[in-house]
Amino acid sequence: SRIGPCDIVVFGGTGDLAVRKLLPALYLRDRDGLLPRDTRIIGVSRAGLEDVGYRVKVSGELGHALPPGTADPLAIASFVRRLHHITLDVGGRFTTEEQAWRDLVVALADSGRTRVFYLACTPDLFGPICKNLRRWGLINPGARVVLEKPIGHDLASARRINDEVGSAFTEDRIFRIDHYLGKETVQNLLVLRFGNTLFEPLWNSGSIDHVQITVSESLGVGGRVGYYDDSGTARDMLQNHLLQLLCLVAMEPPVRLDPEAVRDRKLEVLRALAPLTGAAVGRATVRGQYTAGTVADRPVPGYIDELGGRPSATETFVACKAEVRNWRWAGVPFYLRTGKRLDRHAAEIVVQLRGVPHSIFPGVPPSALAPNRLVLRLYPDESVELHLTGKRPGPGELRLQPVPVRLDATGDGRSRFPGGYARLVDDVLRGDPTFFMRRDEVEAAWSWVEPILTAWSESDCPPVQYAAGTAGPDAAADLLERDGRSWA
Ligand code: BG6
């Protein structure tokens, strides 16, 4: 159905997330003629900018944030005309803020437009913002709210925030975004699994040996050190992105692709995760922190240097072994790892099948036949590859070779909507929460992660160090080696 004009109000409108991810995504939709006609984007921040200043700032920053080849000066000029700015200190207690809320009320006066309140700011502000939106009568019947992750800092704060937001918006109007769910490969995983008959009979502990999920970043924490040191990799990546990927790999078939059916199935996976508590945390997890090193031939400082030398036990790397305790997955480990300042920027899901039980090839032991692997790559390219063994062409003695088969439709691995945001913003405008996290999912994910955080903070062992530009701590390799396996 055609969507009428929208007002997208971005709290945190000058922040890192708005500028690097959200506004570029909105620009790409606009450039392709896919933003609803007359849509306006109202940035809200403390920046003290007029509309013009905001437009200048955003058009300057879009140039850096957009994927190569997508910055079209004319399209940017036309996009920034949609932008407005309201200066408002949401956390501020001064009466001057009342005027700013009134400005927002005036700016949104035309009630015929769909209102999207996009909270691209710290989760502590979600409650206060929603309270004010209600108080100022800004939540009209079609209004929806988008919450950026992480929702809270732990289970209790997530519950509190969910309550606060829930007292202003009904659950079907709350879009908790995890941009990994908007990535092409991630959505394709659902289609591969449930749009074919080839995989599903094999998709269980009978055929699958283990699953690996890796999100490796070469960037450091850079300008986000304040946020990051409070948060760490487990809260920033594991609690949301990695667990969401795990859910899509492990979930049972939903009855249909609708928001409740899909999210019910994901929730079951989260609830089936074997709890990691106490001493088990030491055995099944690795937390690391980078020290100075070299990334892409450039010397880079260590994490503590970036903090200005202040000691910190915040992790910049996590690896763990998770188990989904249900009929389908019992005994199949899910190895997860993610970190900053690693040797490469890459993200992939590897589903490794069991090896052949017996080799018919003279001189080739079964262990020499590489197990089949399905590799779903999210970055640097978006692709799906099935790793098979084939015959090396030619006469004479039968020789074997690995044969990677590309399974993705376009084959060039390039996405028109890199990153996931553009697709998800579109879902918000259409009002479809299928690829957003429901309250119970977020809380179930915290329930699993929180005991790990507790065990870490109670342990005497600090994070293990790894030099920037390496593959992470050796302990992460040991985690798999102990099981007779290795990272792909
Ligand atoms: C964000 C995290 O959610 O995801 C960042 O806060 C991380 O720390 C980013 O860098 C990674 O996203 P992507 O799409 O670049 O892999």
Side-chain angles (χ1 to χ4, degrees):
S1 64
R2 276 183 62 81
I3 310 165
C6 299
D7 284 335
I8 305 175
V9 184
V10 185
F11 288 88
T14 53
D16 182 74
L17 185 95
V19 169
R20 282 194 319 121
K21 306 266 193 188
L22 177 61
L23 294 171
L26 288 167
Y27 158 77
L28 288 173
R29 301 302 281 164
D30 190 33
R31 182 201 60 167
D32 295 348
L34 296 173
L35 268 193
R37 179 181 48 86
D38 292 339
T39 288
R40 299 185 304 168
I41 300 163
I42 300 158
V44 176
S45 81
R46 288 183 297 193
L49 291 169
E50 302 291 332
D51 291 354
V52 177
Y54 189 49
R55 290 174 186 170
V56 170
K57 179 179 165 64
V58 171
S59 48
E61 286 173 356
L62 274 181
H64 305 290
L66 286 169
T70 59
D72 167 356
L74 277 180
I76 291 181
S78 132
F79 172 69
V80 298
R81 281 199 289 277
R82 296 180 180 278
L83 299 179
H84 304 269
H85 186 269
I86 287 182
T87 299
L88 170 55
D89 182 0
V90 178
R93 282 184 197 83
F94 308 110
T95 43
T96 48
E97 301 311 330
E98 303 265 312
Q99 186 51 45
W101 281 105
R102 254 177 236 123
D103 293 346
L104 190 58
V105 172
V106 172
L108 297 178
D110 177 356
S111 59
R113 307 164 65 89
T114 303
R115 287 181 195 164
V116 177
F117 298 103
Y118 198 117
L119 313 194
C121 52
T122 153
D124 308 340
L125 296 178
F126 294 175
I129 291 173
C130 289
K131 204 168 134 193
N132 274 297
L133 292 176
R134 207 167 71 156
R135 172 171 164 227
W136 292 96
L138 287 167
I139 305 175
N140 65 359
R144 50 209 78 164
V145 66
V146 186
L147 309 180
E148 268 293 340
K149 56 131 282 255
I151 313 279
H153 202 249
D154 51 20
L155 180 59
S157 55
R159 283 197 175 130
R160 182 173 43 72
I161 292 169
N162 281 329
D163 283 343
E164 288 167 351
V165 176
S167 63
F169 291 89
T170 51
E171 181 66 26
D172 61 329
R173 298 283 170 189
I174 303 174
F175 291 74
R176 296 180 192 80
I177 198 163
D178 182 314
H179 71 283
Y180 271 58
L181 295 180
K183 292 184 189 270
E184 189 71 16
T185 306
V186 178
Q187 300 201 345
N188 195 14
L189 169 60
L190 272 191
V191 180
L192 283 172
R193 282 193 63 194
F194 303 125
N196 297 286
T197 50
L198 184 61
F199 301 105
E200 213 38 34
L202 303 174
W203 211 259
N204 55 53
S205 61
S207 306
I208 292 179
D209 180 73
H210 73 275
V211 175
Q212 299 183 10
I213 301 179
T214 299
V215 178
S216 157
E217 297 187 276
S218 49
L219 282 177
V221 297
R224 297 164 77 220
V225 72
Y227 153 76
Y228 204 86
D229 198 51
D230 255 5
S231 169
T233 306
R235 291 186 173 92
D236 185 51
M237 300 289 290
L238 177 65
Q239 190 270 346
N240 34 80
H241 304 325
L242 275 83
L243 285 185
Q244 286 292 319
L245 297 181
L246 183 153
C247 283
L248 291 186
V249 174
M251 71 196 257
E252 295 300 315
V255 173
R256 68 185 74 80
L257 193 68
D258 84 13
E260 300 327 314
V262 169
R263 297 183 299 176
D264 286 348
R265 296 290 87 87
K266 282 163 54 197
L267 180 65
E268 282 166 9
V269 174
L270 292 166
R271 293 201 170 143
L273 284 173
L276 286 177
T277 54
V281 173
R283 287 191 299 274
T285 72
V286 175
R287 58 172 178 151
Q289 188 186 70
Y290 61 83
T291 57
T294 309
V295 172
D297 298 328
R298 212 166 40 87
V300 295
Y303 179 72
I304 298 294
D305 307 322
E306 286 179 318
L307 275 180
R310 179 161 55 79
S312 165
T314 299
E315 76 287 355
T316 61
F317 177 96
V318 178
C320 69
K321 175 179 170 181
E323 281 174 74
V324 180
R325 285 207 182 133
N326 63 15
W327 191 280
R328 186 190 285 260
W329 294 113
V332 179
F334 285 73
Y335 300 103
L336 316 179
R337 66 174 165 165
T338 180
K340 304 273 184 213
R341 279 283 186 245
L342 297 172
D343 52 349
R344 56 194 192 119
H345 185 182
E348 63 188 22
I349 302 170
V350 176
V351 179
Q352 176 156 330
L353 279 77
R354 295 188 183 282
V356 296
H358 163 76
S359 169
I360 64 162
F361 307 105
V364 181
S367 62
L369 285 162
N372 296 144
R373 273 181 175 167
L374 182 67
V375 180
L376 299 127
R377 200 166 299 124
L378 286 63
Y379 196 88
D381 55 337
E382 300 202 299
S383 62
V384 183
E385 251 175 37
L386 185 58
H387 292 216
L388 303 171
T389 297
K391 179 187 171 301
R392 189 174 290 177
E397 194 190 327
L398 198 68
R399 298 241 298 258
L400 311 178
Q401 66 175 11
V403 185
V405 183
R406 297 277 301 231
L407 297 184
D408 46 307
T410 64
D412 69 358
R414 275 193 320 224
S415 167
R416 267 170 51 71
F417 302 117
Y421 274 91
R423 185 177 307 274
L424 293 174
V425 164
D426 203 51
D427 290 350
V428 174
L429 298 181
R430 286 187 299 105
D432 179 357
T434 307
F435 291 105
F436 292 78
M437 295 179 291
R438 209 167 53 191
R439 170 176 187 154
D440 46 10
E441 278 181 86
V442 172
E443 294 179 5
W446 275 122
S447 298
W448 187 72
V449 169
E450 195 172 287
I452 300 177
L453 295 168
T454 307
W456 284 347
S457 70
E458 285 170 358
S459 92
D460 302 328
C461 312
V464 283
Q465 300 193 327
Y466 61 99
T470 63
D474 294 340
D478 299 343
L479 185 70
L480 273 71
E481 255 160 47
R482 283 202 293 275
D483 295 344
R485 302 187 174 100
S486 58
W487 292 104

